[in-house]
Amino acid sequence: MTANGKYITESAENLPYFLPKVKIPVGTVIPENDFSIPKLFTPLKIKNLQIPNRIGISPMVMYSAPHDGDKIGQVTPFHLIHYGSMALRGPGFIIVESTAISPEGRGSPEDCGIWNDEQAYKWKEIVDFVHSQGVKIGMQLGHTGRKTSLAALHHRLMKPVGKDQYGWADVPEQVIGPSPLSHRPGVLIEPKGLSIEEIQELVGKYNKAAKRAIEIAGFDFVEIHAAHGYLINNFLSGTSNKRTDEYGGSFENRTRFLLEIIDAIKGDKYPLFVRISGTEDADDQEGAWKIEDTLRLSDYFIQHGVDVIDVSAGGNNIHAKRRKNTPGHQIPLAEAVKRHVGDRLIVSTVGNIDSAELANSTVEDGKADLVLSGKLTLKNPGIAWNWADDLGVKIQPSLQYGWPFYPPPYN
């Protein structure tokens, strides 16, 4: 209420349109007397970043950026609606879909990019809306390596596409990896093995992409995608990296590319997340990445200034054992990492975490510090709000959505 007794709704800042201003960040617990807050809904500080609860939206590729014209790789109103609908309903933070550091780093012609400033400015429109709700948002930076230039997965096949379909699978020098080994021989393209000079150029592209994400788009943090069989993951695993120079062979050499990227983009003013496949799920194969390797790598992360390790699994090996998609099936990987690193590193987990009870017990029992939800949020963008209800917690949704559920008292 203003001084003259009139009720005027203030507008959110940094938006070119009217939107009611929030004073309490969406996702914050509304405390009640004699109530113990479940740990899932307690705040957490990550470097300079304060999040109101431990629930994050996991990166999910949407295949919705233009594949031709002068707006290739740019986000559209779809992305604003997609991420905005989640921001209105209470997550602790959002990580946007893997965004390519270069045109050939996209997984499909319809993937998003941040290899130029124009793309970053379009992302800023989304970031500003999410921030208007007091929600934190980060960008996942990626390069798909030897799994590049594929048809969007909503076509329900894994097939490379060439120039006649806006792809680049028929341009040999644009399909790259640490070694000339196809992810799926006879189906996917054999990549060109990178030279040391080309590796260093890629480190520079990650650096420039991170600067655009933070300085132009205004993201709160960045995440390096080093999982799921994409370029960095290709370097980490001995099944896909057969190099004999300083980027292959020993553990130290195979992790060098990732650590150089970390050193190139980390900053004092924003947190750095890294997503890793905790295991390749192919322990019977020589050189396969195992959980023991992830534990060893987590020590390097601590030394190099990583703030959060985001533990997923698989994706690098077509001979991997098929993981059953049972609720919380990847939590044991995060738990192993958390046991190893203790409080020296924040650990997040994923993997069909389908209930408030499972999510809360994961953080209450110290198996992970953060819980990420992916596919379930496509069905239900308000999953954090639902989980709060399930645990008997009131959280702050957007002003527009909250008042019917928490109405004012009537005189």
Side-chain angles (χ1 to χ4, degrees), residues 213-321:
I214 297 295
E215 297 174 6
I216 297 177
F219 282 95
D220 298 298
F221 62 92
V222 293
E223 175 173 272
I224 299 169
H225 197 348
H228 301 164
Y230 299 131
L231 183 63
I232 298 174
N233 195 184
N234 299 159
F235 273 84
L236 295 175
S237 172
T239 65
S240 47
N241 183 350
K242 302 298 183 182
R243 301 176 72 96
T244 58
D245 60 12
E246 59 263 48
Y247 289 96
S250 68
F251 179 87
E252 287 76 12
N253 285 355
R254 285 182 284 113
T255 58
R256 189 183 307 277
F257 180 43
L258 172 55
L259 295 177
E260 288 181 348
I261 293 169
I262 290 169
D263 290 343
I265 73 175
K266 65 184 178 184
D268 294 333
K269 297 182 180 179
Y270 58 90
L272 177 60
F273 292 42
V274 180
R275 172 163 276 198
I276 189 79
S277 284
T279 174
E280 197 167 338
D281 288 323
D283 288 359
D284 57 337
Q285 293 188 36
E286 184 178 356
W289 189 266
K290 302 177 182 179
I291 186 59
E292 292 80 10
D293 297 305
T294 297
L295 301 183
R296 187 176 177 187
L297 181 60
S298 67
D299 292 329
Y300 285 67
F301 283 178
I302 294 165
Q303 296 168 16
H304 285 259
V306 172
D307 299 287
V308 178
I309 179 169
D310 179 3
V311 185
S312 185
N316 191 57
N317 197 316
I318 62 167
H319 302 295
K321 294 178 182 177

Side-chain angles (χ1 to χ4, degrees), residues 70-93:
D70 60 357
K71 293 180 171 58
I72 291 176
Q74 286 188 17
V75 289
T76 72
F78 165 81
H79 298 91
L80 176 60
I81 294 166
H82 173 61
Y83 293 113
S85 66
M86 297 171 182
L88 294 168
R89 294 171 169 88
F93 60 98

Side-chain angles (χ1 to χ4, degrees), residues 78-122:
F78 165 81
H79 298 91
L80 176 60
I81 294 166
H82 173 61
Y83 293 113
S85 66
M86 297 171 182
L88 294 168
R89 294 171 169 88
F93 60 98
I94 297 169
I95 309 176
V96 304
E97 59 203 87
S98 184
T99 304
I101 63 163
S102 63
E104 68 279 1
R106 292 171 292 165
S108 84
E110 291 79 32
D111 281 11
C112 297
I114 194 164
W115 63 81
N116 62 49
D117 290 357
E118 290 75 17
Q119 293 164 338
Y121 281 113
K122 293 301 291 184

Side-chain angles (χ1 to χ4, degrees), residues 145-161:
R146 62 184 186 166
K147 293 167 76 172
T148 188
S149 190
L150 303 179
L153 288 182
H154 53 69
H155 294 293
R156 300 189 180 280
L157 47 77
M158 183 174 278
K159 180 177 176 59
V161 293

